[in-house]
Amino acid sequence: MSAEYRIAEDRLGGEPTLVVSAPDESARAVLALRGATLLSWQVRHGETGRLKELTDGYRDEKELLAQDGVRAGLMAPFTNRIADGRYRYDGHDHDLLPGHHADRLIYHGFARERPFELVRATTTADSACLLLRTTGIRPGRYPGYPFALDLEAEFTVTARELSIEVRATNVGDTTAPYAAGWHPYFTLSQSIDDLLLHIPAHTLIRTDASLIPLPGEDALLPLDDCPDMDFRAPKRLGDAVIDACYADLSGSGSRFETVLTDTATGEELRVWQYGGYLHVFTGDTLARDRRASIALEPVETITNAFNRPEHAALLALEPGRSRAFGFGVVYGRVSRGPGDS
């Protein structure tokens, strides 16, 4: 009988974690139960046998609790920002920051700080699958969100791929606004400047100075009119400063792939998603290691979707219904380069 993937319990300071290891030690992933947060994803590099870190996650308990940069955070029930922390839904006004008058910034939902629990684990010789669940989004728990959701995050780890499916079930008696996303930071080298980026998008979401999309059709900027932000052909990042959302993705059916490539080594990461949009952040304002990694974020909706009528149908999760959003990343090599063994 062949050896199987292993799942072990561990801790990051006082925070419980799960460590997933391939039977031949060719892949390793570490998940914190807080927020179902990916802390580390490592894959065997070349012929050396050494594991290479491909994400820039929280390094200690203090970082995880502070949530600076939202490193690999699962974003739900909303992604990115909600303007002024307020929205109107089904005829009712909601305030996510009651009593706050000066700092009204809120972003990336509540799931990233929720305690999850492991409810099922399946291992084979080729993969490990972990199902994590939280039931804590309930009326009265989070101001301005009087809805009841159960959330599940299913992680699958193989030798070269990490995939995630986030599922929400409305366990309340009213329709809830809901959207999900993921906020991972990827790294292939010491700086992102020399990496090539390919984004299969045709439209850029135009925003105001607060990064809130402009109203209606004014938010849609064809990338033909914005060449500096156009990565439809792979292009070196250089000193580009990006915190923007890309729309009108193209690909094979409903699966879209964004590709990050290190031409010096021939390594690449293919970030895939089923539907949605892609938000890109070059990490220029991170508290630690600015521009050492890049956030390539699959999201179901654009920023401030709770306040955009055109997203109302997509957001609506009816009582008793569930919805899933799938995404992941594949590590590969496109050619032999000077960095190969």
Side-chain angles (χ1 to χ4, degrees):
M1 181 176 181
S2 62
E4 296 184 345
Y5 271 69
R6 302 183 306 279
I7 301 172
E9 296 181 352
D10 202 354
R11 302 193 80 83
L12 182 71
E15 292 293 321
T17 63
L18 299 169
V19 180
V20 182
S21 304
D24 62 355
E25 307 297 335
S26 63
R28 183 176 186 269
V30 182
L31 302 171
L33 291 183
R34 178 179 291 271
T37 306
L38 179 70
L39 300 176
S40 172
W41 179 47
Q42 298 175 311
V43 171
R44 180 173 291 165
H45 176 243
E47 300 171 0
T48 66
R50 295 192 300 269
L51 291 175
K52 180 184 179 74
E53 181 63 65
L54 299 171
T55 62
D56 190 3
Y58 296 122
R59 295 181 179 176
D60 53 40
E61 181 184 16
K62 182 179 178 180
E63 283 194 351
L64 175 62
L65 295 178
Q67 289 283 299
D68 180 76
V70 192
R71 296 175 183 266
L74 292 181
M75 299 183 285
F78 56 87
T79 66
N80 297 306
R81 306 175 182 218
I82 293 181
D84 200 38
R86 295 185 172 94
Y87 67 99
R88 184 173 179 81
Y89 191 75
D90 196 26
H92 299 281
D93 293 322
H94 299 284
D95 187 350
L96 295 162
L97 296 167
H100 292 245
H101 302 290
D103 184 5
R104 299 284 304 177
L105 177 61
I106 188 167
Y107 51 88
H108 302 332
F110 321 121
R112 59 195 175 97
E113 296 188 86
R114 289 293 313 158
F116 280 70
E117 62 176 349
L118 178 66
V119 296
R120 187 177 70 240
T122 305
T123 59
T124 69
D126 301 315
S127 68
C129 182
L130 300 85
L131 180 64
L132 307 180
R133 178 182 297 154
T134 186
T135 59
I137 298 180
R138 294 293 187 269
R141 184 178 294 273
Y142 296 100
Y145 195 80
F147 308 101
L149 299 178
D150 286 352
L151 298 178
E152 293 182 339
E154 187 168 28
F155 290 78
T156 302
V157 181
T158 68
R160 289 290 184 269
E161 183 171 12
L162 176 81
S163 63
I164 306 172
E165 184 175 85
V166 177
R167 293 188 292 271
T169 301
N170 185 342
V171 294
D173 54 10
T174 59
T175 300
Y178 168 82
W182 189 36
H183 202 290
Y185 290 81
F186 296 109
T187 178
L188 284 171
S189 59
Q190 292 300 311
S191 170
I192 64 172
D193 296 8
D194 292 324
L195 300 180
L196 297 186
L197 180 62
H198 171 223
I199 306 173
H202 300 279
T203 302
L204 185 74
I205 302 299
R206 185 160 42 186
T207 67
D208 62 18
S210 299
L211 301 179
I212 300 299
L214 300 182
E217 295 292 323
D218 290 340
L220 306 179
L221 178 64
L223 281 166
D224 288 337
D225 299 334
C226 190
D228 289 347
M229 297 287 281
D230 187 355
F231 291 89
R232 284 175 291 182
K235 185 169 66 176
R236 181 177 177 271
L237 275 162
D239 58 0
V241 176
I242 305 173
D243 192 349
C245 186
Y246 287 80
D248 293 328
L249 301 176
S250 60
S252 175
S254 61
R255 175 169 165 142
F256 312 131
E257 289 191 347
T258 298
V259 185
L260 189 68
T261 306
D262 185 344
T263 57
T265 63
E267 297 171 281
E268 69 174 15
L269 290 171
R270 292 184 171 268
V271 181
W272 57 265
Q273 61 190 91
Y274 285 110
Y277 302 76
L278 181 82
H279 198 99
V280 178
F281 173 48
T282 46
D284 303 271
T285 58
L286 291 173
R288 165 177 64 76
D289 297 337
R290 299 178 182 181
R291 296 187 70 84
S293 58
I294 182 171
L296 302 174
E297 312 163 29
V299 291
E300 283 192 284
T301 61
I302 68 173
T303 297
N304 199 35
F306 277 24
N307 286 305
R308 300 188 70 90
E310 68 270 27
H311 280 289
L314 175 59
L315 290 168
L317 185 59
E318 297 176 350
R321 301 296 297 272
S322 299
R323 189 163 75 240
F325 183 42
F327 43 83
V329 55
V330 180
Y331 170 74
R333 304 177 72 80
V334 293
S335 64
R336 290 191 64 85
D340 290 348
S341 299

